[in-house]
Amino acid sequence: MGRLAGKIALITGAGRGIGAAIAHAFAREGAAVVLAELDAETAGQTAAAIERETPGARTLAVRTDVTDATSVREAVAASERTFGPLDVLVNNAGINVFCDPLTMTDEDWRRCFAVDLDGVWNGCRAVLPGMVERGRGSIVNIASTHSFKIIPGCFPYPVAKHGVIGLTRALGIEYAARQVRVNAIAPGYIETQLTRDWWDAQPDAEAARRATLDLQPMKRIGQPEEVAMTAVFLASDEAPFINASCITVDGGRSALYHD
Ligand code: NDP
């Protein structure tokens, strides 16, 4: 029996990166997984890869834009029609919007908040009524070490990611008595396309990559699967008294005083 056997989970932004790793790990642990992803093609490809990796896995790929509350509600409805009531939601979809505050455009601000904070709220709002009524559920929000620490020039991403922690704590408390747990994971540097795109945007991509590794206490950055293992734990029945909390997955980087 897998650690998520019998559970039904929806993961946003599951077409690639951390979301895809979470979808693979959840399926390996016996959950039916719904890949709610902006890009229908990558969602379908990841679902097919999961079914190859885990024979008998139950997957559903649904094109979803987390910035659009109706689109998220429709994804939840499609999941429930296919598999039944959702036990787990992972709000993973996110984008980097890294600007200088005073030259940032209004569009940059809105784009960042639409995905990184409204997107998380849209997911929570779509699943909470059912979870509260059933008296069970686990929501896992993918925050960031930017939820606690600031890197100059990365505005307004950390503002939205601080908000994800606020939302996690507020909703965790709001529905605790109904046994709905809301937690967050704060990854540090994880090797995904998002990170590679950031290196590639620097004047010397290889030097930027080396500089990132040098800053890490473990002299490496994390892998998506290392975040996925934590998501499995929080989503499972192994974490029944963990609520309104955040687990940092950064190899110790945010505990370091000096660069
Ligand atoms: P990726 O860019 O590799 O993957 C993000 C996925 O989300 C993509 O498949 C993307 O689809 C999808 N997505 C983007 N916008 C939307 C939307 N509006 N609706 C639905 N899906 C959408 O990112 P990561 O895997 O690296 O990041 C995942 C999460 O982890 C994010 O919340 C990020 O902020 C957080 N994080 C990542 C860290 C890292 O070092 N990688 C560190 C800390 C936090 P498409 O490709 O079509 O745009």
Side-chain angles (χ1 to χ4, degrees):
M1 288 288 275
R3 294 158 71 198
L4 300 176
K7 292 197 191 292
I8 297 157
L10 184 147
I11 302 140
T12 68
R16 69 179 202 187
I18 293 171
I22 293 173
H24 274 274
F26 277 26
R28 277 196 300 273
E29 293 298 342
V33 289
V34 182
L35 298 96
E37 159 68 51
L38 193 55
D39 182 335
E41 201 178 325
T42 57
Q45 287 164 354
T46 302
I50 290 171
E51 289 176 10
R52 279 196 303 276
E53 185 199 71
T54 305
R58 294 184 301 157
T59 69
L60 175 70
V62 189
R63 193 205 169 264
T64 309
D65 181 354
V66 298
T67 69
D68 175 356
T70 305
S71 169
V72 178
R73 272 199 306 273
E74 285 172 1
V76 170
S79 317
E80 302 203 336
R81 276 196 307 275
T82 307
F83 296 129
L86 280 168
D87 301 290
V88 180
L89 166 69
V90 182
N91 284 306
N92 163 79
I95 55 171
N96 278 352
V97 182
F98 290 169
C99 303
D100 169 85
L102 297 183
T103 56
M104 177 191 70
T105 64
D106 289 349
E107 166 52 23
D108 287 329
W109 173 270
R110 278 194 293 269
R111 197 164 53 89
C112 181
F113 276 80
V115 181
D116 292 339
L117 188 54
D118 296 357
V120 178
W121 170 231
N122 287 337
C124 293
R125 195 165 49 168
V127 302
L128 275 168
M131 289 183 173
V132 168
E133 192 191 325
R134 292 187 292 278
R136 64 168 202 278
S138 172
I139 296 177
V140 179
N141 297 326
I142 305 301
S144 169
T145 42
H146 289 254
S147 295
F148 313 106
K149 303 277 179 172
I150 301 298
I151 302 176
C154 292
F155 194 82
Y157 179 78
V159 187
K161 288 292 189 182
H162 274 62
V164 171
I165 298 295
L167 186 62
T168 300
R169 300 183 72 203
L171 295 178
I173 296 305
E174 203 72 51
Y175 302 108
R178 296 295 302 150
Q179 312 310 315
V180 176
R181 299 180 296 109
V182 187
N183 291 295
I185 298 173
Y189 269 103
I190 306 296
E191 186 153 6
T192 67
Q193 196 56 46
L194 195 73
T195 314
R196 287 188 286 270
D197 288 346
W198 184 82
W199 286 325
D200 289 345
Q202 306 310 303
D204 181 343
E206 192 42 43
R209 184 188 165 88
R210 271 198 311 277
T212 304
L213 299 191
D214 281 349
L215 290 173
Q216 305 304 312
M218 298 181 83
K219 300 301 167 202
R220 68 173 180 89
I221 65 169
Q223 294 303 312
E225 294 70 24
E226 293 172 302
V227 179
M229 288 190 268
T230 309
V232 167
F233 170 64
L234 285 175
S236 76
D237 296 335
E238 297 163 16
F241 205 51
I242 301 183
N243 181 38
S245 244
C246 177
I247 299 180
T248 300
V249 180
D250 73 344
R253 171 72 183 112
S254 59
L256 191 66
Y257 187 70
H258 290 287
D259 280 351

